[in-house]
Amino acid sequence: MRPIQARISIGAMAHNLRVARSHSGAAQVFAVVKANAYGHGLSRARRAFAAAEGFAVLTLEEAANLRLMGVEQPILLLEGMFGPDEIATCAELDLCPVLHHAAQLDWLQQQPPARPLQVFLKFDSGMHRLGFPLADHAAIVSRVRSLPGVAGITLMTHFAQADETAGVSWQLHPFLNELAGHDLPWSSANSAALLRYPETRGMWTRPGIMLYGASPYADQSAAELGLRPAMTLQSEIIGVQTLQPGEGVGYGLLFRAEQTMRVGVVACGYADGYPRHALTGTPVSVNGKMSRLLGRVSMDMLCVDLSVCPEAGVGAPVVLWGEGLPVDAVAAAAGTNSYELLCALAARVPVIEVD
Ligand SMILES: *Cc1c(COP(=O)(O)O)cnc(C)c1O
């Protein structure tokens, strides 16, 4: 069998939820499990995050699957209904849709659900992606209050720079000040806001990436935040080459040896979800020692420097990210973030579930 596998730790995910819980204080937690739980599997996430007060997903299909799995907690539909045809299912599955544009209000008015919905009314406080303009709050809130299909309203916004020095206050304060008069519960915090800004907690927090053991910040590691990596992508050396000075390895011979050196070929490529944009120098752990990627990543293989581990041969264990090698370090070297790497884990990679 091809030696690549992803080990996913339910215990680490449950631990990370406890960290999110402790930062949430009296607020309730929506465990964000969109995108197949950031690549970790929806069913695993349901079990690992059973203690969460709610789950947040993107699609009706994800929500329906959670209900089939027995989830009884509230389920937040992060972008709400994509069309009027989704209203009935929202009611049947007892979902909490986010309402963020006027057409969604029209649909609800024209086709009120059999059972009124708890809705999350999203305002744009500066990210300029989804949400009603804050300036329109009076008219929007009063319209939504008057809809017969709406049982209750929670106000919501999302931060653009919670992970940067600009922070959240430039968005949070206008959001809270403008909407204070409505006296409604609210939700604002993603992982980056939750871990640094307790004032963003509100009634519901919405942690995602931290639950999977990655850091939302460039300047603070997941370990420093008390998080444990949930996914370890591992494989083995399946071939060894010796390069003479001047010889190259891989497509384009992008890496060339300066002196005689041993190169290990690892059974992991971009078709497994490893980033093709990773360059020579991207950290790879071989036989427990920190080595580096050499040259271009191929579809099914990549090459690593064996200079630091002369004992490593065919069969030597390799960690691409996870336990012992933070996914954030690999993402940084590949010019992306942990979210993209975790979500991109390919279906062909066998997953082994561990405690
Ligand atoms: C994905 C998402 C989150 C979770 O964000 P993380 O950065 O992964 O913590 C929270 N809120 C909304 C609206 C989202 O779409």
Side-chain angles (χ1 to χ4, degrees):
M1 199 170 75
R2 195 165 169 256
I4 190 169
Q5 58 177 227
R7 297 172 76 82
I8 296 186
S9 165
I10 301 287
M13 291 162 77
H15 164 85
N16 296 333
L17 176 69
R18 287 193 290 277
V19 175
R21 276 239 44 89
S22 74
H23 283 270
S24 296
Q28 297 179 279
V29 177
F30 275 123
V32 179
V33 298
K34 61 190 175 190
N36 194 31
Y38 292 47
H40 295 68
L42 192 60
S43 153
R44 258 170 235 117
R46 183 202 58 88
R47 284 177 279 131
F49 305 145
E53 287 85 0
F55 290 87
V57 299
L58 194 66
T59 66
L60 284 185
E61 189 189 358
E62 293 166 323
N65 281 333
L66 285 176
R67 288 287 183 240
L68 278 176
M69 293 170 198
V71 165
E72 292 178 351
Q73 293 100 317
I75 297 179
L76 180 66
L77 202 52
L78 284 163
E79 295 177 9
M81 295 85 76
F82 295 101
D85 55 312
E86 297 193 336
I87 293 175
T89 313
C90 270
E92 278 157 29
L93 297 175
D94 194 17
L95 310 182
C96 306
V98 170
L99 304 180
H100 59 87
H101 65 71
Q104 291 173 318
L105 308 189
D106 298 340
W107 302 334
L108 275 173
Q109 191 160 7
Q110 287 150 15
Q111 304 178 36
R115 174 160 48 144
L117 305 169
Q118 292 289 338
V119 302
F120 280 63
L121 188 54
K122 188 167 190 176
F123 284 94
D124 171 29
S125 56
M127 185 166 182
H128 299 306
R129 198 175 57 177
L130 296 185
F132 294 98
L134 262 188
D136 298 349
H137 70 91
I140 298 293
V141 173
S142 95
R143 181 169 179 211
V144 174
R145 276 192 201 275
S146 76
L147 291 173
V150 170
I153 302 173
T154 301
L155 303 169
M156 175 173 164
T157 197
H158 195 58
F159 297 115
Q161 296 180 301
D163 57 330
E164 299 173 18
T165 44
V168 297
S169 57
W170 67 273
Q171 287 185 260
L172 182 67
H173 294 138
F175 172 74
L176 293 180
N177 293 342
E178 288 286 319
L179 301 173
H182 299 295
D183 197 25
L184 288 168
W186 55 277
S187 170
S188 75
N190 58 3
S191 300
L194 178 61
L195 288 164
R196 280 196 181 161
Y197 306 102
E199 66 272 26
T200 61
R201 294 189 289 210
M203 175 77 92
W204 284 97
T205 62
R206 308 190 305 268
I209 193 68
M210 67 176 291
L211 301 181
Y212 307 98
S215 171
Y217 314 115
D219 62 356
Q220 203 175 7
S221 72
E224 286 166 343
L225 294 164
L227 303 170
R228 286 169 48 191
M231 180 196 294
T232 297
L233 181 61
Q234 61 185 48
S235 189
E236 289 177 7
I237 302 279
I238 58 163
V240 175
Q241 296 283 336
T242 300
L243 298 186
Q244 300 304 324
E247 289 183 330
V249 66
Y251 287 115
L253 305 181
L254 227 56
F255 172 81
R256 283 181 188 271
E258 281 173 8
Q259 60 226 0
T260 304
M261 66 184 289
R262 286 169 75 243
V263 169
V265 181
V266 180
C268 176
Y270 58 78
D272 299 301
Y274 194 89
R276 186 177 173 278
H277 292 291
L279 302 172
T280 293
T282 300
V284 180
S285 163
V286 181
N287 232 2
K289 302 204 176 80
M290 207 46 72
S291 180
R292 58 178 184 142
L293 179 71
L294 299 178
R296 272 202 184 118
V297 176
S298 312
M299 183 181 286
D300 310 316
M301 287 171 271
L302 55 80
C303 296
V304 294
D305 190 347
L306 294 184
S307 316
V308 291
C309 37
E311 77 291 353
V314 169
V318 174
V319 171
L320 286 317
W321 64 65
E323 208 71 62
L325 173 51
V327 64
D328 295 304
V330 179
T336 182
N337 61 16
S338 61
Y339 301 71
E340 189 179 10
L341 297 191
L342 297 174
C343 291
L345 180 74
R348 81 177 193 184
V349 177
V351 173
I352 309 293
E353 200 173 291
V354 297
D355 292 344

